[in-house]
């Protein structure tokens, strides 16, 4: 039996804890005041929400007791906290995303705002959201990826009387084939408008005619009138990126009747600055509603002037130059922080992709967040925005996918996606589906034609595509004819024949390669195996599912067939769920992929789950960029293989590479001439005639291992243009922290990604280190998440510790809202030295 004695100091401490707890509960349930002092501008509605999991009877009612609920700030993904558990499906990340969840928020609206139009927008709610205001049902939205706007006005209380908004969600197991996230995982906004205002997503701007000398701008504006009886004027300005007003116009609308009026205008911009991947210049259109001489509403619409052509015989042309699509497919999750739509996380993801040479992203297989589209506009990245992974026929035996909602919701979901993003210049085509099962059905063409018609009605200015993994079926059943741009998934050997048979079709390689790898892992000999006992995949980039093939096969066949405009490789980043080649088989069985637990995330990425490039990143960089580069693999720590042959490979965009091992030249090789021998075996590959593939896109030396260093030197026209050195590292001696940004915004959302490196005493990264590291963060920031890129671990993301994986880990720091100042960060690992770093929040 234990004896306890509580001292006076302990009693005081308990009293303080009680007081603090009471304060936190009080704060959690306090109302937030909103005021419409800036009409037409959305305000964040993310703060002071309460959340709980499980079914809650009566939680939509204003008097429901939510005092025990958890206080959260949106965006919020309830599942990313875990814990990982084998009872959950590894196909969906092994995380508890399904079940029931509730959110509630109390807020006040100033008395002075009575008579204004007040609405709330959810950028995404995963999924099957039911929304209530003051006990009244506002509406339902099953699809978790589509934004929805609700009119709160008829139900609001004003002044001291509170309002309560409540949202219930019920994500289902296997509702998608990847990790979808759970909850109000995208931003939420409140807007105040005058009785006369531009409707939500109520503008549509196009450029029907574009030359280098002049651009015609067509602007459609839907104006709502909820009962005002004053003379109204629509004022329009077009403003260049530098703030120059390039056009002003005014249109008298008279006394508007109650309802919605559509106003069409046409303008010209002389000598327009074009939006391009190399210069993403944007204009903005400011639409102002003037009533009784006073501006009562302002609405901003992005405008990018660009000229698009899709040539059946010569690919995609942007502003009168051919642009090869160097694209990646990206799922929407952001690794250790989950599915939340954090602007900095998405920006960093796109920055890393651009550094690889990416100029386009396919939003596989769902509508993206507004942040993704806005950042693509700003950064010059073309987007293929995709709507559905499933139409009416399910892909798994569990009947929880979008097919449950397709008949009732497809038109609204597709239309709303397009209306939301049809003004963004980065969006250059729509995709109505991915590998849909209707490819094999006689009625499939009718469904594809119906969806294409819906898309064209919402936006006649853009082409419509779809990704087909069964082109013969899609062609036979009319799906390929129903879209403007048939997408071919994993069919490089058939490009020439497809173009020959259908010379009027523009074609895109909508999904390619599908090779898997694990950062820093190398298996010998180089064999094409199915799975490995380590539950990792070699980074020699030859392993994948049956349809997968090394990236250079795609490069070769695209070069042979310029009619295909380019590719979207699968995938740019690793993502949560779908742990191919482990766990299960696509489109079959009960959908559960837990056979190789704890593998719980994909290995498809050229970049791992936390953003560290794999070797394959450099292969794409060697093909897609022009700044001289060279990369060598593997690492050079093989103490058990002294004297054994190690395959060494180099990727470069230079003409030649010379390999040196401990200062001795292993020979100069010429790219495209000295081809690398690779074992290859995938569907439709004629393995009887060609057991191996001779790659013109990588260089290979087979050398006997001795500790020391390997160095590659790249030459163009005989001149050295790049080099890389890899040394044999000693024992781990130190931990180094490197922040990607040392100054972040003190807005409670901004992030700094801190790379954690385990190094030897000489500063060399230890490529096999797995030291346990604990993190300490003080000041104006906090730990948002940790990770290391290991796809086969169930260590939590929400923690203050992580093991290094092959010498690296990641610490993600988030600012505290409204707290400026230093964020002090240090890392501790037993017997390793370390130096703290400081990040400043401003």
């Amino acid at each position: 039996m234990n004896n306890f004695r509580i001292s006076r100091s302990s009693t005081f401490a308990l009293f303080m804890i009680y007081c603090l707890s009471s304060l936190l509960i009080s704060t959690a349930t306090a109302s937030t005041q909103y005021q419409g002092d800036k009409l037409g501008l959305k305000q964040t509605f993310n703060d002071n929400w309460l959340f709980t999991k499980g079914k809650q009877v009566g939680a939509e009612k204003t008097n429901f007791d939510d005092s025990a609920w958890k206080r959260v700030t949106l965006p919020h993904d309830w599942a990313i906290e875990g814990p990982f558990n084998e009872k959950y499906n590894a196909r969906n990340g092994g995380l508890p995303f399904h079940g029931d969840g509730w959110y509630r928020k109390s807020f006040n609206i100033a008395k002075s705002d009575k008579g204004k139009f007040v609405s709330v927008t959810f950028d995404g709610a995963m999924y099957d959201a039911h929304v209530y205001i003051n006990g009244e049902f506002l509406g339902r939205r099953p699809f978790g990826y589509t934004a929805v706007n609700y009119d709160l006005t008829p139900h609001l209380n004003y002044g001291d009387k509170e309002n309560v908004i409540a949202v219930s969600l019920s994500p289902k197991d296997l509702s998608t084939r990847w990790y979808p996230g759970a909850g109000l995982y995208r931003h939420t906004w409140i807007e105040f408008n005058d009785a006369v205002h531009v409707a939500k997503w109520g503008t549509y701007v196009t450029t029907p005619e574009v030359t280098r000398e002049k651009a015609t701008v067509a602007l459609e504006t839907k104006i709502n009138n909820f009962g005002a009886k004053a003379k109204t004027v629509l004022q329009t300005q077009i403003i260049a990126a530098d703030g120059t007003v390039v056009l002003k116009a005014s249109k008298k609308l008279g006394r508007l009747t109650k309802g919605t009026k559509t106003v069409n205008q046409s303008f010209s911009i002389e000598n327009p600055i074009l939006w391009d991947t190399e210069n993403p210049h944007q204009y903005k259109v400011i639409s102002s509603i003037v009533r009784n001489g006073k501006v009562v509403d302002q609405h901003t619409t992005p405008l990018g002037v660009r000229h698009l052509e899709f040539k059946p015989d010569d690919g995609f042309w942007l502003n009168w130059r051919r642009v090869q699509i160097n694209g990646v497919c990206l799922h929407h999750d952001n690794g250790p922080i989950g599915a939340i739509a954090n602007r900095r996380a998405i920006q960093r993801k796109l920055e890393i992709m651009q550094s690889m040479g990416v100029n386009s992203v396919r939003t596989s297989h769902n509508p993206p967040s507004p942040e993704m589209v806005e950042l693509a506009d700003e950064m010059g990245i073309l987007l293929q925005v995709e709507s559905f992974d499933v139409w009416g026929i399910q892909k798994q035996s569990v009947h929880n996918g979008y097919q449950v909602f397709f008949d009732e919701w497809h038109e609204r979901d597709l239309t709303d996606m397009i209306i939301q993003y049809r003004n963004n210049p980065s969006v250059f085509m729509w995709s109505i589906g991915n590998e849909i099962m209707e490819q094999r059905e006689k009625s499939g063409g009718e469904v594809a034609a119906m969806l294409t018609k819906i898309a064209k009605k919402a936006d006649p200015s853009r082409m419509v595509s779809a990704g087909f993994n069964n082109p013969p079926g899609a062609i036979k059943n009319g799906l390929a004819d129903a879209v403007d741009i048939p997408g071919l998934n994993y069919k490089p050997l058939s490009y020439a024949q497809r173009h020959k048979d259908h010379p009027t079709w523009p074609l895109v390689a909508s999904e390619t390669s599908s090779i898997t790898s694990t950062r820093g892992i190398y298996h010998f000999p180089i064999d094409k195996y199915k799975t490995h006992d380590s539950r990792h995949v070699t980074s020699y980039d030859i392993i994948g599912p049956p349809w997968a093939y090394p990236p250079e096969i795609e490069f070769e066949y695209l070069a042979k067939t310029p009619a295909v405009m380019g590719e979207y490789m699968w995938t740019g980043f690793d993502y949560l769920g779908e742990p191919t080649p482990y766990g299960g088989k696509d489109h079959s069985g009960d959908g559960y992929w837990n056979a190789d637990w704890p593998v719980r995330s994909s290995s498809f990425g050229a970049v791992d789950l936390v953003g560290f490039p794999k070797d394959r990143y450099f292969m794409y960089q060697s093909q897609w960029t022009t700044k001289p580069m060279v990369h060598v693999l593997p690492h050079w720590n093989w103490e058990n293989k002294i004297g054994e042959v190690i395959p060494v490979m180099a990727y470069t965009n230079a003409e030649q590479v010379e390999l040196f091992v401990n200062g001795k030249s292993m020979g100069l090789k010429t790219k495209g001439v000295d081809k690398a021998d690779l074992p290859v075996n995938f569907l439709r590959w004629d393995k009887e005639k060609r057991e191996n593939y001779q790659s013109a896109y990588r260089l290979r030396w087979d050398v006997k291992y001795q500790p020391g260093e390997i160095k590659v030197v790249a030459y163009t026209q005989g001149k050295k243009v790049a080099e890389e050195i890899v040394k044999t590292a000693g024992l781990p001696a130190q931990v180094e922290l490197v922040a990607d940004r040392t100054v972040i915004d003190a807005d409670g959302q901004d992030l700094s990604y801190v790379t954690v490196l385990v190094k030897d005493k000489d500063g060399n990264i230890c490529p096999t280190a797995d030291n346990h590291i604990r993190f300490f963060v003080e000041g104006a920031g906090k730990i948002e998440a940790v990770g290391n890129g290991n796809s086969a671990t169930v260590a939590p993301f929400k923690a203050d510790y992580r093991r290094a994986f092959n010498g690296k880990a990641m610490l993600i720091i988030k600012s505290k809202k409204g707290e400026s100042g230093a964020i002090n960060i240090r890392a501790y690992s037993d017997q390793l030295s370390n130096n703290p770093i400081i990040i400043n929040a401003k």
Side-chain angles (χ1 to χ4, degrees), residues 710-759:
I710 53 175
K711 178 172 76 170
V712 283
V713 180
Y715 304 92
T716 296
Q717 296 181 351
K719 294 183 179 180
K720 174 182 171 180
V721 293
E723 75 172 22
E724 184 175 67
I725 299 172
V726 175
K727 295 183 178 182
T728 303
L731 294 174
Q734 56 181 309
V735 177
E736 182 180 348
L737 303 176
V738 182
D740 71 332
R741 298 159 75 230
T742 57
V743 179
I744 62 177
D745 291 335
D747 59 359
Q749 295 284 343
D750 206 2
L751 304 174
S752 179
Y753 284 77
V754 180
T755 295
V756 184
L757 302 173
V758 178
K759 294 186 171 184

Side-chain angles (χ1 to χ4, degrees), residues 68-203:
W69 290 20
K70 179 182 177 181
R71 182 180 176 182
V72 298
T73 299
L74 307 184
H76 177 245
D77 177 357
W78 83 56
I80 198 61
E81 296 180 12
F84 291 101
N85 196 304
E86 196 170 359
K87 69 182 180 181
Y88 306 127
N89 191 354
R91 190 192 227 309
N92 296 134
L95 288 164
F97 76 91
H98 49 83
D100 296 288
W102 277 87
Y103 293 83
R104 282 169 56 92
K105 177 183 173 79
S106 298
F107 63 101
N108 290 80
I109 302 292
K111 282 186 178 180
S112 57
D113 289 319
K114 197 164 188 178
K116 294 175 183 174
F117 179 81
V118 185
S119 66
V120 65
T121 301
F122 296 92
D123 284 345
M126 189 62 69
Y127 86 31
D128 200 11
H130 290 65
V131 182
Y132 306 84
I133 182 71
N134 294 330
E136 298 290 329
F137 179 62
L138 279 177
R140 177 196 186 199
R141 195 55 170 254
F143 199 37
Y145 299 101
T146 307
V148 61
N149 176 260
Y150 293 108
D151 176 10
L152 302 179
T153 315
H155 312 284
L156 287 176
N157 302 312
Y158 297 88
D160 295 333
K161 192 172 182 181
E162 283 185 350
N163 299 279
V164 176
I165 190 167
V167 184
S168 72
L169 300 126
S170 52
K172 297 291 192 297
D173 192 17
L174 284 173
S175 55
T176 63
R177 296 181 299 126
W178 53 87
Y179 174 74
L184 298 179
Y185 72 108
R186 292 181 179 172
H187 289 272
T188 305
W189 311 92
I190 190 168
E191 293 181 51
F192 294 81
N193 290 96
D194 185 75
V196 181
H197 62 272
V198 177
K200 184 70 175 178
W201 302 306
T203 57

